Amino acid sequence: MFERPNMRDLPRTVDEVADLLIGDLPVREMLTLSHLNRDEFVELYESVASYILEEFKIWTGNQALLESCMERLAGAPAGRRPADPALVILRRVWEKLRETDDIVIII
C-alpha cells in the first residue's frame, strides 16, 4: 500500500526550509556557501535542486510551501524571476548565509 507522507511535519514556507537546510550545515559549509559567486551558486543549484523538490514534496502535496515559493516569485522583478521553487529556496539559503556573514562562530 502507498504510504502518504505526513504533510503536517513538512515546512510550509521558504524561510522554514532555508532555516532547516542551514541548520543541517556544518560551519565550514556555511562559510563556503556564503561566499559562492554566481557561477558556483548555479552549479550548487543544479546538484541539489531535485533533492530539495523531493525532500520537501514541493510538487507532490506540500501546497503551502509551493504557494510560499510562488509568492516570492511574484515579488521578484521581471526578468529576475526564478522559475523553479528549488531555486527560490536555495537563493533564500544563500541570502540568509550572506546576511550572517559577519558572525564569528567559535568551536
Side-chain angles (χ1 to χ4, degrees), residues 12-96:
R12 301 173 53 82
T13 68
V14 171
D15 280 321
E16 287 177 14
V17 174
D19 290 341
L20 280 172
L21 292 171
I22 291 169
D24 284 344
L25 291 173
V27 174
R28 178 170 280 153
E29 271 83 24
M30 284 184 197
L31 293 171
T32 299
L33 289 175
S34 71
H35 291 91
L36 293 180
N37 64 38
R38 188 175 251 352
D39 291 337
E40 293 166 331
F41 177 80
V42 169
E43 196 174 309
L44 172 67
Y45 159 76
E46 290 171 350
S47 69
V48 300
S50 61
Y51 164 80
I52 291 171
L53 293 171
E54 184 178 319
E55 182 71 17
F56 299 109
K57 311 222 180 301
I58 294 170
W59 295 120
T60 57
N62 192 345
Q63 189 65 30
L65 180 54
L66 179 59
E67 288 173 8
S68 178
C69 291
M70 293 303 138
E71 286 173 11
R72 286 190 177 264
L73 290 173
R80 294 190 47 133
R81 292 185 184 138
D84 181 357
L87 183 56
V88 171
I89 290 167
L90 196 56
R91 183 171 286 163
R92 185 64 185 134
V93 168
W94 194 37
E95 289 169 356
K96 283 181 169 258

